[in-house]
Amino acid sequence: MIALAVFRLAAYVRSHRVYQALLLTLALLAIVHGSRAPRGAEATVLVDGAVLLVPVLAWAARSLLDTEPDRQREMSAIQVGGRGKEVVAGLVAAFTACAVFAALGLLWALMVGVSGSPPSGVLLAALVLYVLSALAGTALGALTSRAVLPSPAISIMSLLLGFLAMLLLSSTSMYWLTVPLISWMKAANSGELLGAFPELAAISLAWCLIGLAAYGWLRRRS
């Protein structure tokens, strides 16, 4: 299963699809961190970057999962001993790619986006939120991949609408119905990130796991 995950990562790089996500990531980071934020705004800068990366990470996860042809995917399931292992290998590869892009975003924010070093508590919270951003991107990208949505047009529209739905729902009092991305930003902007962090992280993790489980359920026969 690990060998299959490595194979898919290698195929993603060799197909040059990785450069699409990389260029999008670099362009987004250049815009978001075009100027250094003043001291005291570290939490806002870090969290805003984590939120805005989600659709790019979803695009990366979707592209990685779509790199492998359908017949090759069926052969991979046979070689690793079942559909479940094949699905997990794909998710591991997709999350690894998303984690690399998320790490790039966090490092860029720390090196270019802030004027001073953030407090250790804020830095730890931001690190966890970037991991959750990678998980959310993996789940959204997987749910809109070709194995679930064969039509490229519907797939791309679903990815964008899914992200917009996250933003709209998380801006309301029913933020707990989705990954609360806007609530992350509100907490950071109001200086309440550390206080609200346990609740927001728990809700985010729960919905990411639900999304990944839904993908596994949808893939049980495809």
Side-chain angles (χ1 to χ4, degrees):
M1 187 176 68
I2 298 301
L4 178 58
V6 173
F7 170 77
R8 284 177 166 167
L9 281 169
Y12 181 52
V13 173
R14 290 174 181 173
S15 69
H16 294 172
R17 289 191 174 198
V18 65
Y19 298 113
Q20 299 173 1
L22 178 60
L23 290 175
L24 283 173
T25 301
L26 295 177
L28 175 64
L29 294 175
I31 294 171
V32 173
H33 305 300
S35 59
R36 290 183 182 272
R39 291 182 181 275
E42 293 85 3
T44 300
V45 172
L46 294 174
V47 173
D48 287 355
V51 170
L52 295 174
L53 272 176
V54 171
V56 178
L57 299 178
W59 177 280
R62 172 183 172 274
S63 296
L64 185 147
L65 293 171
D66 287 353
T67 299
E68 191 175 36
D70 295 335
R71 294 293 177 242
Q72 177 64 46
R73 188 169 61 243
E74 295 174 4
M75 293 175 60
S76 297
I78 295 173
Q79 291 174 341
V80 297
R83 179 71 65 191
K85 291 184 178 181
E86 180 269 321
V87 170
V88 173
L91 291 176
V92 169
F95 176 72
T96 301
C98 288
V100 170
F101 288 123
L104 174 62
L106 178 58
L107 289 175
W108 191 307
L110 291 173
M111 295 176 64
V112 179
V114 296
S115 300
S117 300
S120 58
V122 171
L123 180 59
L124 180 59
L127 176 61
V128 175
L129 291 181
Y130 272 84
V131 173
L132 291 172
S133 177
L135 268 178
T138 301
L140 181 57
L143 289 169
T144 56
S145 62
R146 188 175 64 246
V148 177
L149 298 174
S151 169
I154 294 177
S155 172
I156 294 173
M157 289 176 59
S158 298
L159 190 155
L160 295 175
L161 290 175
F163 177 65
L164 290 176
M166 285 185 189
L167 296 180
L168 290 175
L169 273 177
S170 60
S171 65
T172 69
S173 58
M174 296 186 293
Y175 62 90
W176 47 270
L177 287 175
T178 185
V179 180
L181 300 178
I182 296 297
S183 297
W184 295 4
M185 299 173 73
K186 288 180 178 178
N189 288 327
S190 62
E192 300 175 355
L193 177 62
L194 296 182
F197 176 74
E199 178 191 6
L200 296 179
I203 295 172
S204 302
L205 179 60
W207 277 110
C208 289
L209 294 178
I210 290 172
L212 295 174
Y215 172 72
W217 182 79
L218 292 170
R219 283 291 319 280
R220 72 194 190 281
R221 292 183 179 178
S222 61

